[in-house]
Amino acid sequence: MHLTAIVAHPDDAVIFCGGTLAKHADRGDDVTIVYMTRGEYGGFDTTEADIATTREAEADAGAETLGAEAEFLDFEDGRIRYSMENRLQLVNVLRKHRPDVVLTHFRDDMHPDHRTTSRLVSDAYYMCSLPLLETESDPWEPQNVYYFGKPTSSFEPETYIDIGDYQSTKEEAILEHESQVEWLKEHGGVDVEFDGLIEDVRAENRVLGRTRGVKFAEGFVPLHKNATEYLGSM
């Protein structure tokens, strides 16, 4: 199978679904992470271009640690907008990669880029199988979309993935985002739940795991409620 995660910023995939991505890659699935932006607002005392260069390199390294391929789109950090043009760009992304399952942000999130990405991906999913809608790639119909969320939102998981064997891989991938580990220490108050990034992510995964009797877990909300073998629902 092919699993594609579409995320707003370079560290979003490793933080919210890195264990699941690593688990699927390890079982031989094709895993791709599509980054909407290069996260050029996420830093101090330097230029947007410098931050973007650093964060792209970190994202490449994080994806490699998880066993995933990486692709970058050219949206601007903090300025992702909902439009038909952008929706069609995401339609073509889905058609190009032809994923069975798509992972993306939950609709209710503090960050405007996360909310807009969620809406764009959801609507692109709806449109990408339409035979009369022409893009560079042929129509494709993913089987489902799974949303991940932040603990500050109304997100309540319905699908849980046991990542006990992959928590350490996830943390290694997070540590590749060295600039963000430091940025979030200084950026508390907005992203306060992640101001101690590794410790807080580990705690969140441990809490989710305890609800299912495993050591660590990640949680998702599926768009469709139909049963599926994908994501290894517990």
Side-chain angles (χ1 to χ4, degrees):
M1 72 168 284
H2 187 176
L3 185 147
T4 296
I6 303 178
V7 297
H9 309 105
D11 56 344
D12 288 336
V14 295
I15 290 173
F16 296 113
C17 58
T20 298
L21 297 179
K23 184 172 186 174
H24 276 266
D26 187 50
R27 80 174 195 179
D29 295 334
D30 294 322
V31 177
T32 303
I33 304 172
V34 177
Y35 304 98
M36 298 282 284
T37 78
R38 289 168 172 79
E40 60 270 19
Y41 274 173
F44 295 109
D45 302 325
T46 185
T47 67
E48 289 184 29
D50 288 343
I51 295 170
T53 298
T54 296
R55 297 200 66 186
E56 181 174 344
E58 291 174 345
D60 282 333
E64 183 176 0
T65 298
L66 298 178
E69 298 293 324
E71 176 182 338
F72 296 87
L73 305 181
D74 292 318
F75 291 88
E76 295 179 304
D77 187 16
R79 292 152 285 182
I80 300 176
R81 296 182 178 180
Y82 188 89
S83 67
M84 178 59 72
E85 179 183 2
N86 290 344
R87 187 201 300 177
L88 292 178
Q89 183 174 349
L90 268 294
V91 168
N92 195 60
V93 167
L94 292 176
R95 287 178 169 184
K96 180 178 71 172
H97 290 289
R98 304 174 74 81
D100 299 289
V101 169
V102 181
L103 305 183
T104 196
H105 300 275
F106 188 60
R107 63 184 176 273
D108 177 19
D109 192 291
M110 289 177 61
H111 201 304
D113 282 349
H114 294 185
R115 295 195 303 269
T116 307
T117 297
S118 180
R119 186 180 176 193
L120 286 169
V121 172
S122 299
D123 290 354
Y125 161 81
Y126 182 81
M127 296 184 69
C128 71
S129 65
L130 300 178
L132 297 183
L133 176 61
E134 295 185 3
T135 65
E136 295 176 5
S137 302
D138 293 334
W140 176 252
E141 185 173 5
Q143 296 199 10
N144 212 344
V145 180
Y146 287 82
Y147 302 99
F148 48 78
K150 298 179 72 172
T152 50
S153 76
S154 61
F155 179 71
E156 296 183 4
E158 299 174 19
T159 297
Y160 294 82
I161 308 304
D162 179 359
I163 62 165
D165 292 336
Y166 300 93
Q167 181 71 25
S168 61
T169 303
K170 172 175 180 167
E171 293 181 12
E172 289 172 15
I174 291 174
L175 287 173
E176 295 290 355
H177 294 264
E178 182 177 358
S179 70
Q180 294 311 288
V181 174
E182 296 303 315
W183 160 255
L184 289 171
K185 286 181 182 178
E186 301 292 332
H187 202 50
V190 175
D191 289 302
V192 67
E193 72 276 17
F194 291 142
D195 59 0
L197 187 55
I198 292 293
E199 295 82 2
D200 292 342
V201 168
R202 184 186 300 145
E204 178 71 14
N205 294 154
R206 181 178 288 114
V207 169
L208 289 173
R210 285 175 178 170
T211 68
R212 289 298 181 271
V214 298
K215 190 171 183 179
F216 296 104
E218 290 173 338
F220 301 86
V221 174
L223 177 60
H224 300 301
K225 309 303 182 185
N226 56 301
T228 174
E229 66 173 312
Y230 301 140
L231 287 184
S233 179
M234 295 167 57

